[in-house]
Amino acid sequence: MNFDPRFSGRKFSSVGTRPIRPDGVDKVTGRARYGADFNMAGQLVGRVLRSPHAHAKILKIDTSKAEKLAGVKAVITAADLPDLTDGDSAMYDVLDNCMARTKALYDGHAVAAVAAVDARTARQALKLIEVDYELLPHVTDVDEAMKHTAPLINDTLFTEGLEEKPVKPSNVTKRSQFGHGDVHQGFGHADFIVERSFKTEQTHQGYIEPHACVASVSSDGTADLWVCTQGHFVYRQHCAQLLGLEASKLRVTSSEIGGGFGGKTHVWAEPVALALSRKAGRPVKLVMTRDEVFRASGPTSATSIDVKIGARKDGTITAAEATLRYSSGPYAGTWAEIGAMTAFACYKLDNVKTVGFEVLVNRPKTAAYRAPSAPMAAFAVESAVDELAKEIGMDPVDFRIKNAAQEGTRSSYGPVYGPIGIGPTLEAAKTHPHMKAPLGKNQGRGMACGFWFNFGGQTCVDLNIGMDGSVSLAVGTVDVGGSRASLSLVAAEELGIDYAQLKAVVADTSSLGYNDMTDGSRGTFSSSMATISAARNAIKILRDRAAQTWDIPVDDVVWENGHAIAKGEKYGNLAALSLKEIAAASGKTGGPIAGHSELVADGAGVSFATHICDIEVDPETGAARVVRYTVIQDAGKAVHPTYVEGQYQGGAAQGIGWALNEEYIYGKDGRLQNAGFLDYRIPVCSDLPMIDTQILEIPNPNHPYGVRGVGETSIVPPLAAIANAVSNAAGVRMTHIPMSPPRILAAIEAERGG
C-alpha cells in the first residue's frame, strides 16, 4: 500500500491528549528492568583493566597470573579481538576504543578484561595483570593540540578538507566549511562589528544508569545480548562485525534505559562482554562503575570558537563568520562540522562563513549529547548577537526578529527552509509575561535562540490485532523519552479506538526489521510515520474482512471511528462492525489481522527554540542562581504534550548544569580528577527553578500529523541564554563555559581592575 507522508491537517481525538505514561507504574515500583537488572543462569562477572596513563605505548601484557587465579574463567586482551574491520577506519576506531591495541590513548582506555565467578575474584584478577607501558607526551586541551609542537596522537591521520593534501600527519583530522556570499564585503558594509573568542569545557551526559550488559555466546555461534542502549539494531551490527558473528545469529534486547542523551549510541563494553563470554563458554555480566563511565565513555567536545558579526545601524546583519575547534578524543569525528552547520542556522544572512576543525586530544572518545555540537556554537554566536544588539542600541529580541530566518531562507549550511518556527518563537518570547517581569538586585535577564536539524531514517513497525480487540504495537526505536505512549496515541488515532486498548513494546532484533538508532530526535517522528502506515495497512485488512462478512465489494466499506461502515443507502440494513467484532471473527475470515510497515522516514523538519532566563549573581562570591526560566519551542504537533514539556524542561535543566557547573577537570598528568557525581556536579532539584514551557505548533509538511522531533533543540539555547543573563547581572561579558563562581568572580574583579 502506497503511503503518503504529507501533512493532512486533520482533527485529532487521541493525539494531543495526556494519558498516564504506560511505563510509570513499573518504574516507580522497581519492576522495570534496566541494564544491570537482567541475569542469566551461570553468569560470570566481567571487569575491565584500564590504563592509568593519558598516552602510553603498550609494550607487553602478562595475564598468566590472572589466568591461574581460582575462579577466573577468561582473560582477554586486544589479541582476543582481532581486526576484522576490513579497512573500515570508523569501525577500527570503535574496536581500538573497546580494547587498546598498540597504545593507550587516554586515562581509562581499556587494555584487558576478565570474567570470574564473582566480583571479588574479578577485581583480584585485574591486580594480577601486568602491563608494561612506555609513557608518551600527552595533550588534553583543544587549542594546545592544534599547535605544531603538540604531541602527535595518531601518526596515520592527515588533515582532510584542505586545498592541498598535507604531507605531515596532524592532530587536526578534518577541516569543514559552510556558507555563502562574501563575508569580507559584508563586513565592509557594517556600521558595528563584534568579534570575540569563546571556550567551553568538556561535559558528560550525566545519565544516572551506567552502561551495563549481559552477553551469552553459544558454541554454535548464536549469541544474546541484553543491554541498555539507544539503538539495539546498531549495536547488533557493530558487535557482529567486531566479533566476526553473523548478525542474524546475534539477538540484542534493549532494556529500559536510565538516561542516554546520546551517550548510549556507541558500543563501549558490549564487544568486550561478548568476547569474554565466547572465551569462557558462559554468560558474562559487565556493568561499568561510575568512575569508568566518566573516564571511558563518551563526553562532549571541549571547544574553542571565534565569532565575528557585523550589522548596519538599522540592525540588519551584513556578515557573520565563525571558526570552531572541537575536540573529538583520540579518534576522528565530525563534531566541529556539525557545529559549523548549526552556528548561524537561526538567521537570514547574505554573507556567512563557518569553518570547523576536528581535533584529536588524549581524552575519551567523544559521543553525542542531545543536539551534539550545537549548544557550544549557539553559546558563542548568541553571545555575540546579544553584544551586537547592545552596541547598536536595539532590544535583543527585536534584533533577532529582524534577522530571523523564515520560509524560503537559504540556511547558513545550504538547504532552503520550508515552514519553520524561529520567528514565532521569538514573537512569543517578546510577548511572554516572563520578558516583562521586574528584576531584583544583582539580577540579569538573558535570552537566546537555538536550532537542530532532526533526523528520520530506517524504521520498521508491526501492529497486531488480537481476537479480543486489543492491539499490540512492536517498534524498534528505543523509548528514551516517552515514544511508547506517543506511538500508542498515534495508533489509537488511526484505528479509531481507545488508547487503553493499545500496548507498545520495543521488540528485540530477531523479532522486527532493522531500525536506526534512536538519536537525532527521530524516535517519535519516524516511528509514528511507520505506525500510521502500519495502522492504515491493518485498516485495509479490517475493511476487507468486513466486506467478506457482508458479502459486498470492499470499495463500499469505509473505516470511521473504529468501525467498518457500509456506505450507501443500499446497505442501510447493515450495522457497523467494530474492530473488536471483526477481530473476534478473524479465524473464520482469513486468520490474524496485522499491519506492517518498513520505510525510510524523510523530511524530519528542522526545529527552533527561544529561551528566556533570569539569573542572580552574588558579586562577592561569583555564585549564580537561576531565578526563572522559560522554554518556547516549535513541536510541529505535540502528540503527548506532557512528554513534550518534559523534553523541553529536561534539556533546559541539563543546559543549566552545563552552563554553570559541569566540566571535566584534567591534571597536568592527563588524568581525570573528578570522575564522579561528588566532584562533577550535575543540577539537583534545589538548583533549579520551575521551568515554564510554551509549545508552539508549526506543522511539518512532511509528516501526516505535522510532527517534528522535540528532544534535542531544548539543550541548544541554555548556555547562551544563561551567559547573556549572567553577563547582564555581573556587568561583564562571560566567554568561558561553565560559568562557575571562581570564573564569574575573576571576570567581575578584572572588570573592576582588581
Side-chain angles (χ1 to χ4, degrees):
M1 181 178 181
N2 293 327
F3 175 67
D4 185 357
R6 291 175 297 179
F7 176 63
S8 60
R10 65 185 288 170
K11 293 183 178 180
F12 299 104
S13 56
S14 293
V15 166
T17 61
R18 300 172 182 258
I20 295 173
R21 56 188 301 162
D23 55 341
V25 173
D26 283 354
K27 286 183 175 178
V28 299
T29 58
R31 288 189 303 191
R33 292 201 297 176
Y34 292 87
D37 293 329
F38 187 73
N39 297 288
M40 288 184 177
Q43 75 183 19
L44 303 171
V45 175
R47 288 287 186 272
V48 179
L49 181 67
R50 301 187 179 277
S51 167
H53 307 297
H55 196 196
K57 187 179 293 184
I58 300 172
L59 302 177
K60 181 182 178 182
I61 302 178
D62 184 352
T63 63
S64 58
K65 293 179 182 178
E67 290 167 347
K68 293 174 184 176
L69 182 66
V72 172
K73 302 302 179 181
V75 181
I76 67 167
T77 64
D80 298 281
L81 282 165
D83 180 11
L84 304 175
T85 59
D86 195 26
D88 184 334
S89 60
M91 285 306 299
Y92 181 83
D93 287 349
V94 174
L95 176 67
D96 188 72
N97 189 53
C98 289
M99 190 65 69
R101 313 189 82 70
T102 59
K103 290 201 302 182
L105 297 172
Y106 55 91
D107 167 39
H109 199 168
V111 296
V114 303
V117 293
D118 55 40
R120 181 180 179 184
T121 304
R123 288 193 297 267
Q124 192 176 353
L126 292 185
K127 294 177 181 178
L128 294 175
I129 299 174
E130 298 175 359
V131 185
D132 291 336
Y133 295 102
E134 178 187 325
L135 299 188
L136 300 171
H138 63 270
V139 59
T140 58
D141 180 79
V142 64
D143 287 321
E144 292 296 320
M146 290 188 70
K147 295 179 179 178
H148 71 277
T149 56
L152 197 60
I153 295 172
N154 187 334
D155 59 12
T156 68
L157 291 181
F158 296 77
T159 308
E160 298 179 11
L162 300 179
E163 291 184 4
E164 295 184 11
K165 188 176 180 179
V167 296
K168 292 183 179 181
S170 170
N171 288 333
V172 180
T173 63
K174 187 178 182 181
R175 178 188 184 275
S176 303
Q177 182 173 321
F178 299 91
H180 53 259
D182 186 331
V183 291
H184 179 74
Q185 186 179 68
F187 284 121
H189 295 152
D191 298 309
F192 298 91
I193 294 176
V194 166
E195 188 170 6
R196 276 200 185 269
S197 296
F198 302 85
K199 281 185 79 78
T200 69
E201 298 300 331
Q202 193 164 49
T203 55
H204 198 271
Q205 299 86 351
Y207 36 81
I208 303 303
E209 179 198 25
H211 298 271
C213 65
V214 180
S216 179
V217 181
S218 301
S219 57
D220 63 357
T222 59
D224 279 279
L225 180 67
W226 166 279
V227 62
C228 54
T229 173
Q230 291 178 236
H232 47 316
F233 288 89
V234 175
Y235 273 38
R236 179 187 65 175
Q237 298 298 108
H238 288 182
C239 288
Q241 183 176 351
L242 295 179
L243 277 88
L245 302 171
E246 292 183 33
S248 63
K249 292 184 177 180
L250 173 58
R251 181 176 64 177
V252 182
T253 303
S254 64
S255 69
E256 288 288 351
I257 185 168
F261 315 111
K264 292 177 182 172
T265 57
H266 300 247
V267 294
W268 308 102
E270 296 78 16
V272 174
L274 285 163
L276 284 169
S277 175
R278 180 165 61 184
K279 192 167 186 177
R282 288 168 62 176
V284 173
K285 184 173 187 175
L286 203 163
V287 181
M288 278 189 174
T289 64
R290 184 63 59 187
D291 177 89
E292 288 179 301
V293 169
F294 274 102
R295 292 172 60 216
S297 68
T300 66
S301 299
T303 74
S304 171
I305 302 173
D306 304 324
V307 175
K308 182 179 180 182
I309 309 177
R312 296 193 186 97
K313 294 176 183 178
D314 67 354
T316 303
I317 295 177
T318 60
E321 186 174 19
T323 302
L324 308 96
R325 298 165 288 273
Y326 280 60
S327 68
S328 61
Y331 305 103
T334 58
W335 309 109
E337 182 176 1
I338 298 171
M341 294 173 75
T342 63
F344 293 107
C346 292
Y347 299 106
K348 177 176 61 180
L349 303 169
D350 292 331
N351 305 293
V352 58
K353 177 183 177 182
T354 58
V355 178
F357 294 97
E358 318 289 346
V359 187
L360 301 185
V361 293
N362 292 116
R363 296 190 181 208
K365 175 182 171 67
T366 296
Y369 182 12
R370 207 170 190 162
S373 302
M376 305 84 129
F379 160 60
V381 168
E382 290 293 299
S383 294
V385 166
D386 232 51
E387 195 169 1
L388 185 56
K390 188 175 182 179
E391 289 280 330
I392 296 171
M394 283 186 72
D395 176 85
V397 181
D398 290 335
F399 182 63
R400 287 173 171 86
I401 290 173
K402 183 176 182 67
N403 293 285
Q406 53 195 254
E407 185 174 359
T409 295
R410 182 184 177 188
S411 69
S412 58
Y413 62 96
V416 174
Y417 290 135
I420 56 174
I422 180 62
T425 66
L426 284 165
E427 294 289 352
K430 184 176 181 179
T431 59
H432 196 281
H434 183 171
M435 196 62 82
K436 302 169 185 176
L439 290 168
K441 185 180 179 181
N442 297 324
Q443 292 182 355
R445 178 167 296 142
M447 55 82 59
C449 300
F451 159 90
W452 185 242
F453 308 97
N454 292 333
F455 300 109
Q458 300 178 79
T459 313
C460 184
V461 161
D462 269 335
L463 186 149
N464 294 281
I465 301 175
M467 294 185 71
D468 62 354
S470 63
V471 179
S472 64
L473 183 67
V475 302
T477 44
V478 175
D479 185 353
V480 298
S483 61
R484 280 171 293 189
S486 297
L487 298 176
S488 294
L489 284 171
V490 169
E493 188 72 50
E494 285 294 320
L495 295 172
I497 60 176
D498 189 81
Y499 169 84
Q501 291 177 245
L502 279 125
K503 172 71 173 178
V505 297
V506 180
D508 66 59
T509 58
S510 295
S511 304
L512 196 65
Y514 180 84
N515 282 260
D516 280 330
M517 184 74 67
T518 303
D519 61 6
S521 297
R522 68 172 296 271
T524 297
F525 167 77
S526 61
S527 285
S528 65
M529 194 178 288
T531 298
I532 293 168
S533 174
R536 291 178 182 177
N537 288 337
I539 288 170
K540 184 174 183 295
I541 297 171
L542 289 164
R543 289 173 52 234
D544 183 69
R545 299 298 176 83
Q548 288 185 47
T549 302
W550 290 325
D551 194 24
I552 67 174
V554 69
D555 289 343
D556 289 346
V557 180
V558 295
W559 190 261
E560 293 179 0
N561 301 318
H563 291 75
I565 299 171
K567 63 180 181 181
E569 293 182 4
K570 59 184 176 179
Y571 301 127
N573 62 327
L574 296 177
L577 290 173
S578 69
L579 180 147
K580 186 174 182 179
E581 290 171 324
I582 298 171
S586 60
K588 300 176 182 178
T589 59
I593 300 173
H596 182 78
S597 176
E598 61 278 314
L599 50 78
V600 177
D602 291 323
V606 295
S607 175
F608 293 90
T610 297
H611 290 200
I612 312 167
C613 175
D614 293 353
I615 290 279
E616 184 174 294
V617 173
D618 186 332
E620 302 302 319
T621 66
R625 180 174 67 90
V626 181
V627 179
R628 186 173 180 179
Y629 203 100
T630 300
V631 177
I632 305 167
Q633 185 174 321
D634 170 25
K637 175 61 186 178
V639 178
H640 192 305
T642 302
Y643 273 118
V644 172
E645 290 164 352
Q647 290 295 316
Y648 290 4
Q649 292 165 333
Q654 288 179 312
I656 289 169
W658 191 343
L660 296 178
N661 295 309
E662 299 177 40
E663 65 176 308
Y664 271 37
I665 299 172
Y666 279 86
K668 292 182 179 180
D669 59 358
R671 301 197 68 187
L672 183 61
Q673 296 183 333
N674 60 331
F677 283 140
L678 182 63
D679 297 310
Y680 181 96
R681 190 171 179 278
I682 63 173
V684 296
C685 290
S686 58
D687 296 314
L688 300 170
M690 294 299 293
I691 297 172
D692 297 327
T693 61
Q694 184 175 345
I695 299 172
L696 302 186
E697 294 185 327
I698 294 87
N700 174 10
N702 302 308
H703 187 284
Y705 294 179
V707 170
R708 299 177 191 266
V710 300
E712 294 177 282
T713 313
S714 55
I715 203 172
V716 181
L719 275 63
I722 295 166
N724 288 333
V726 170
S727 299
N728 290 332
V732 56
R733 172 55 55 183
M734 299 301 298
T735 60
H736 195 162
I737 294 288
M739 294 169 289
S740 56
R743 285 203 181 105
I744 294 176
L745 189 59
I748 292 173
E749 290 177 347
E751 184 73 8
R752 291 172 180 164

